[in-house]
Amino acid sequence: MAKRYRRRARGTQSWTIGQSVSPVERKSRSRWRPGYWLRHPALGVPFGALLVLVVVYCGLGNLQHRIAMTERGERTVGTVRELHGRNSWASVGFTTRSGDEVTTWASHSFWAEPSVGEKVDVIYDRADPMGNAYLSGNEPGLLPTIFLFVGGVVLAMAYAWWLRRHWSRLRNEADAWRRRDPVPRLGARR
């Protein structure tokens, strides 16, 4: 059985099997038909770039917080007042270098859970001791920052690969929508 192929010539002529060779009038194509730009793959480029920028911005925020704790961080001894074991949080009371009594919640690691009344080393930010206090060994590290930076790069590369692979199919579906040809619904399985 022979396959039937449709062939369209370049220019204004449209050719199919069993059709005359006279030129066919083309319908006017409106670029502003609702849904055209929502279906066009170029709309995904700014959204993908925005997503990658948000991930990298979060990584920069973590890095800036770590640098601030390294520069302004103070060490002191505090007392554990209360534990909330399910979320691994401990209420710690300590005295700052300026003499202020501070009670705040600090996270602790699962393998080194303190007990109530135990003396622990506390690292706090002298600009905001209540909001930025950590138990020793649980201060901010570079791992979340590296994870966010690498995640942003991998996300950008994966999205660029996917977009390059599917660009012409998505663009053709958007053009078919503009010409009012039947196209599958957005998100429909093929």
Side-chain angles (χ1 to χ4, degrees), residues 12-16 19-25:
T12 59
Q13 293 182 345
S14 174
W15 299 61
T16 57
Q19 193 176 23
S20 67
V21 287
S22 63
V24 177
E25 287 186 33

Side-chain angles (χ1 to χ4, degrees), residues 74-185:
E74 301 275 338
R75 286 188 177 269
T76 188
V77 175
T79 306
V80 177
R81 299 191 179 189
E82 185 182 346
L83 287 174
H84 194 287
R86 215 176 245 185
N87 293 333
S88 66
W89 288 92
S91 176
V92 180
F94 59 91
T95 305
T96 62
R97 186 176 280 185
S98 62
D100 298 332
E101 291 286 328
V102 176
T103 302
T104 187
W105 288 91
S107 64
H108 61 82
S109 57
F110 293 110
W111 54 87
E113 185 172 335
S115 58
V116 177
E118 183 181 344
K119 300 283 186 190
V120 291
D121 287 334
V122 178
I123 301 170
Y124 68 94
D125 186 0
R126 50 177 182 240
D128 184 18
M130 187 167 253
N132 293 325
Y134 301 94
L135 296 183
S136 182
N138 206 28
E139 57 269 352
L142 281 176
L143 189 61
T145 304
I146 292 170
F147 179 72
L148 286 169
F149 283 146
V150 170
V153 169
V154 168
L155 187 67
M157 289 173 56
Y159 186 68
W161 172 80
W162 181 86
L163 201 59
R164 181 172 181 203
R165 184 171 181 183
H166 297 286
W167 181 273
S168 42
R169 180 182 55 83
L170 294 171
R171 190 193 65 226
N172 289 339
E173 285 180 4
D175 286 338
W177 171 264
R178 187 175 62 190
R179 290 188 308 263
R180 292 173 166 78
D181 292 344
V183 295
R185 296 183 65 191

Side-chain angles (χ1 to χ4, degrees), residues 2-54:
K3 287 186 179 181
R4 293 187 179 192
Y5 292 97
R6 265 189 182 175
R7 194 180 89 169
R8 181 174 287 180
R10 294 183 186 169
T12 59
Q13 293 182 345
S14 174
W15 299 61
T16 57
I17 295 176
Q19 193 176 23
S20 67
V21 287
S22 63
V24 177
E25 287 186 33
R26 287 196 152 194
K27 299 176 190 171
S28 64
R29 298 189 331 183
S30 169
R31 290 190 181 271
W32 301 108
R33 183 167 185 227
Y36 172 69
W37 291 109
L38 293 176
R39 290 176 179 268
H40 202 279
L43 182 67
V45 173
F47 284 122
L50 181 67
L51 181 65
V52 169
L53 286 176
V54 165

